[in-house]
Amino acid sequence: MSIAATALIADDEPLLRRALARQLAEAWPSLEIVAQARNGREAVDRFEALRPDVCFLDVHMPGLDGIDAAHAIGRRAHVVFVTAYDRYAVQAFEQGAIDYLVKPVEGARLADTVARLQARLQAASPMADLAPMLARLSRQHARWLRASVGNDVRLIAVEDIDYLRSDEKYTRIAWRGETGRGGEALVRTPLKELMAQLDPDQFVRVHRAVVVNLRAVSHMVRGDNETGTLHLRSRLDVLPVSRRYLHHFRAS
């Protein structure tokens, strides 16, 4: 029996929002999608206005992300994370408190999620307390970044990234593929937001527009006026080091 309910979908990628809405229309015909949001702030605003029963939240969105939005929604809706990063999914599953979907969303997996949500709604189960799990997720770092390489969208392992450089509306990612050959990719997320997802012990800012993976650094050459240039192990690229960030490379 299909349970009538309302839902919100939040994802910064319109194609993925529409795709999930189409999949839900097939898997759960009586579910009414009452709102779609482009980021976490919109998701919270539309939740407060419409109070849907279920919220499908992309974890990584500009500004307020899915974790922050879930914090704001609290125990007032059933939350399902939709993520390209399976680390979130695994931990959500282990907690048993919420459900998750990994992009691209598979029909069979979505059917399982729908069945689980319908069972909760039919039993009028109390909303799970997400706070402890969300606190743990907030403290963790990304292992993958989703980026465009030409016309392709790829998941790039963070450990394969050599450096990131701000490029007007984009962030340019210099990374190495399976063969070790260097490549470049673009993401629309600003460098500052990407830094928040990365391990600060591994990635440090060396210039206003450049963040480097310390494991990719070969050596630094001191320049004039307390600046420097970084040389990398696997690339000919030379990166600037501003005076403000020179302390990362001072000998102890």
Side-chain angles (χ1 to χ4, degrees):
M1 180 176 63
S2 183
I3 305 297
T6 56
L8 172 152
I9 297 174
D11 195 309
D12 60 325
E13 298 190 25
L15 290 177
L16 296 181
R17 288 200 307 270
R18 290 196 287 269
L20 181 56
R22 285 196 300 272
Q23 289 178 286
L24 284 168
E26 295 179 3
W28 193 347
S30 59
L31 180 70
E32 181 184 2
I33 308 298
V34 293
Q36 295 190 24
R38 297 171 297 178
N39 52 58
R41 174 54 59 196
E42 279 191 1
V44 173
D45 290 346
R46 293 180 184 183
F47 172 80
E48 296 295 349
L50 299 167
R51 297 298 178 97
D53 302 302
V54 184
C55 294
F56 295 89
L57 302 177
D58 182 23
V59 172
H60 289 290
M61 294 184 285
L64 202 67
D65 64 20
I67 294 173
D68 292 331
H71 269 299
I73 292 169
R75 306 179 71 171
R76 295 178 293 169
H78 295 286
V79 171
V80 178
F81 280 148
V82 185
T83 176
Y85 309 94
D86 61 357
R87 68 191 179 94
Y88 293 105
V90 169
Q91 294 198 20
F93 181 77
E94 288 175 346
Q95 291 294 319
I98 60 175
D99 211 336
Y100 69 92
L101 294 166
V102 176
K103 299 176 184 178
V105 176
E106 297 180 353
R109 183 65 185 82
L110 180 60
D112 290 341
T113 297
V114 167
R116 194 170 294 119
L117 286 167
Q118 289 181 344
R120 290 182 181 181
L121 289 166
Q122 190 171 26
S125 300
M127 309 298 179
D129 182 8
L130 308 183
M133 188 201 67
L134 294 176
R136 281 191 289 277
L137 291 177
S138 298
R139 292 195 297 268
Q140 296 180 6
H141 306 115
R143 290 192 304 158
W144 304 85
L145 295 181
R146 188 174 61 241
S148 298
V149 180
N151 293 325
D152 299 331
V153 175
R154 300 195 57 159
L155 291 178
I156 297 175
V158 165
E159 62 187 17
D160 290 339
I161 295 173
D162 289 329
Y163 66 90
L164 306 94
R165 185 191 292 270
S166 179
D167 186 6
E168 296 184 351
K169 297 180 181 178
Y170 300 92
T171 299
R172 189 174 299 276
I173 298 176
W175 65 293
R176 289 164 283 104
E178 294 81 359
T179 63
R181 186 173 181 179
E184 289 194 346
L186 292 175
V187 293
R188 290 181 296 171
T189 307
L191 185 61
K192 182 179 179 181
E193 289 186 21
L194 286 176
M195 274 201 74
Q197 302 175 29
L198 302 175
D199 183 352
D201 291 332
Q202 183 178 354
F203 288 87
V204 299
R205 189 185 291 270
V206 295
H207 182 272
R208 176 178 54 82
V210 180
V211 169
V212 72
N213 181 351
L214 291 174
R215 293 172 183 165
V217 174
S218 167
H219 62 283
M220 188 201 71
V221 177
R222 284 183 177 276
D224 297 330
N225 197 25
E226 287 294 302
T227 62
T229 53
L230 280 184
H231 295 255
L232 306 179
R233 298 180 189 279
S234 304
R235 289 175 176 272
L236 296 177
D237 308 32
V238 177
L239 306 177
V241 182
S242 301
R243 179 195 301 181
R244 180 178 179 183
Y245 304 106
L246 198 68
H247 65 276
H248 292 306
F249 306 99
R250 288 197 176 103
S252 56

